[in-house]
Amino acid sequence: MSPRARAVLADRAAKELAAAGRGEEAAEAYERAADLWRALGAVRCAVRALRARAWVALDVWGPDTAEVILEEALRVCERAHTAARSDAERAWSAREIGDSRVHLARLTLESLPGPTAGAEDSPERYAAELGCLARALDHTERAVAALRQGGAPGRAGGLRAELLAVRLEWGLGRAEAAVERVRRVRDDVTDLPDPDGSLARVAAECEALLVAAAGVIPTWGL
């Protein structure tokens, strides 16, 4: 069996094990797949395997282990970006860096300690929630910065990541910044091609967010 066939088989086995609820075995299979893909120089496939492993690991070993795996995926992307020899390679690796940052942001949100608490209800829990939101926002803003370097597909992904940032800013009580960001996304989305209609959904979501914000603070004239 060729090295590529072994990598494909490990990837396929990992997906099947995960679907069967055999998380620890799936995580090990994804690790094998990532190692095999890296040995072949197939960075894109290795990164995808690592990110999939992280989400399986979340259920098996918890968020700390999952974060370590996602950070490994991010480092692989960053090394690929540094080693890129063409504009196309740089754009691809920038998109993968951005996508990995989005995964880290979403993983951080998995650490939120249950339903939102008010500062007056539980100051310690409220502080923990704000800390999670702030860390997720940092990852998201780094994701946006990377995705902007990824050509038209990266810019489109960046706009979608910006909507996550809007929600995080709102959760942190930065309503004015959230509204300014969503306005900017609404304006930028019209400048990009939209072959699959996904950006039309982004534009519609922007309008819905602005309407919701206007309902909360009507004096802003949204």
Side-chain angles (χ1 to χ4, degrees), residues 3-133:
R4 181 176 181 80
R6 284 198 295 271
V8 170
L9 186 61
D11 230 328
R12 188 176 301 160
K15 290 181 176 69
E16 291 176 356
L17 288 165
R22 296 162 64 180
E24 190 165 347
E25 293 171 86
E28 292 171 356
Y30 274 125
E31 183 177 24
R32 283 197 304 276
D35 289 343
L36 289 166
W37 286 125
R38 274 191 279 195
L40 289 167
V43 177
R44 185 191 307 260
C45 295
V47 168
R48 302 288 165 82
L50 284 169
R51 291 200 297 236
R53 180 175 186 250
W55 288 106
V56 172
L58 174 64
D59 293 331
V60 177
W61 298 301
D64 290 344
T65 299
E67 183 177 14
V68 168
I69 298 168
L70 281 179
E71 286 175 346
E72 181 183 356
L74 177 62
R75 286 192 296 272
V76 172
C77 298
E78 289 172 338
R79 287 195 293 269
H81 192 66
T82 300
R85 297 183 178 181
S86 69
D87 289 345
E89 289 179 355
R90 278 185 287 276
W92 166 79
S93 56
R95 292 195 297 272
E96 292 298 329
I97 288 170
D99 286 344
S100 294
R101 285 284 183 189
V102 171
H103 278 265
L104 279 162
R106 295 193 181 281
L107 176 67
T108 301
L109 293 176
E110 293 289 330
S111 300
L112 281 169
T116 303
E120 66 284 356
D121 298 326
S122 175
E124 290 183 1
R125 190 168 132 197
Y126 183 65
E129 288 173 357
L130 292 181
C132 281
L133 292 172

Side-chain angles (χ1 to χ4, degrees), residues 122-215:
S122 175
E124 290 183 1
R125 190 168 132 197
Y126 183 65
E129 288 173 357
L130 292 181
C132 281
L133 292 172
R135 291 193 299 276
L137 179 59
D138 179 65
H139 282 305
T140 304
E141 289 183 327
R142 291 174 183 234
V144 170
L147 288 163
R148 284 176 181 161
Q149 302 174 45
R155 286 182 62 202
L159 293 175
R160 288 188 287 270
E162 293 251 37
L163 290 182
L164 174 58
V166 166
R167 290 179 169 79
L168 293 168
E169 285 177 328
W170 192 272
L172 286 163
R174 304 174 190 174
E176 186 172 353
V179 170
E180 288 304 314
R181 188 188 294 267
V182 79
R183 282 174 172 160
R184 185 173 65 249
V185 173
R186 179 192 59 185
D187 294 340
D188 289 348
V189 78
T190 59
D191 297 332
L192 290 172
D194 187 21
D196 63 357
S198 63
L199 293 185
R201 292 190 290 274
V202 170
E205 192 168 352
C206 288
E207 295 299 339
L209 288 167
L210 289 171
V211 168

